[in-house]
Amino acid sequence: MQKINQKYINSVVKKALEEDLKPLGDITTKLIKFSNKKITAKIIAKQNGVIAGIEFCKQAFKLIGREVIFKSKIKDCKSIKRNTIIAEIFANTKTIL
């Protein structure tokens, strides 16, 4: 498997975030109290499948919040079963949302 260039990943993720968050940002997140509280979130598979794009996911969190600790539990191209933990993210509530 060929590794995707990090500059390409960064570019694609930035464009997607700009499209999703402009012009007002995430309105729901702005309404939540304690948005700077550190929490842990898990990305969990809802069904059986094959993992793809984990570096894109990681980069999205990193671009939104510098405080992010992203721990991938599964690598791209791996088969997974339903309820498998794909990644854990430790960050501010607003970053995760």
Side-chain angles (χ1 to χ4, degrees), residues 27-73:
I27 295 167
T28 304
T29 300
K30 290 179 181 179
L31 298 173
I32 294 176
K33 293 182 182 182
F34 310 111
S35 63
N36 287 320
K37 180 181 177 186
K38 299 269 197 254
I39 63 171
T40 301
K42 295 178 183 179
I43 299 174
I44 300 172
K46 295 285 185 185
Q47 60 188 28
N48 298 344
V50 177
I51 294 299
I54 205 79
E55 286 300 317
F56 289 86
C57 182
K58 179 179 180 178
Q59 188 61 21
F61 282 104
K62 292 283 188 178
L63 285 173
I64 293 171
R66 293 183 180 182
E67 82 285 359
V68 170
I69 298 171
F70 185 97
K71 294 182 181 178
S72 176
K73 301 292 186 180

Side-chain angles (χ1 to χ4, degrees), residues 5-33:
N5 180 301
Q6 190 63 40
K7 286 183 181 180
Y8 173 76
I9 292 171
N10 194 44
S11 171
V12 169
V13 172
K14 275 185 176 180
K15 287 177 187 174
L17 289 172
E18 285 177 12
E19 180 181 312
D20 192 43
L21 298 175
K22 283 195 175 180
L24 301 174
D26 185 73
I27 295 167
T28 304
T29 300
K30 290 179 181 179
L31 298 173
I32 294 176
K33 293 182 182 182

Side-chain angles (χ1 to χ4, degrees), residues 62-92:
K62 292 283 188 178
L63 285 173
I64 293 171
R66 293 183 180 182
E67 82 285 359
V68 170
I69 298 171
F70 185 97
K71 294 182 181 178
S72 176
K73 301 292 186 180
I74 304 288
K75 294 184 181 202
D76 278 345
C77 300
K78 297 291 181 183
S79 294
I80 57 166
K81 300 280 186 196
R82 180 175 175 251
N83 295 323
T84 299
I85 297 172
I86 298 166
E88 292 180 348
I89 305 101
F90 180 74
N92 293 334

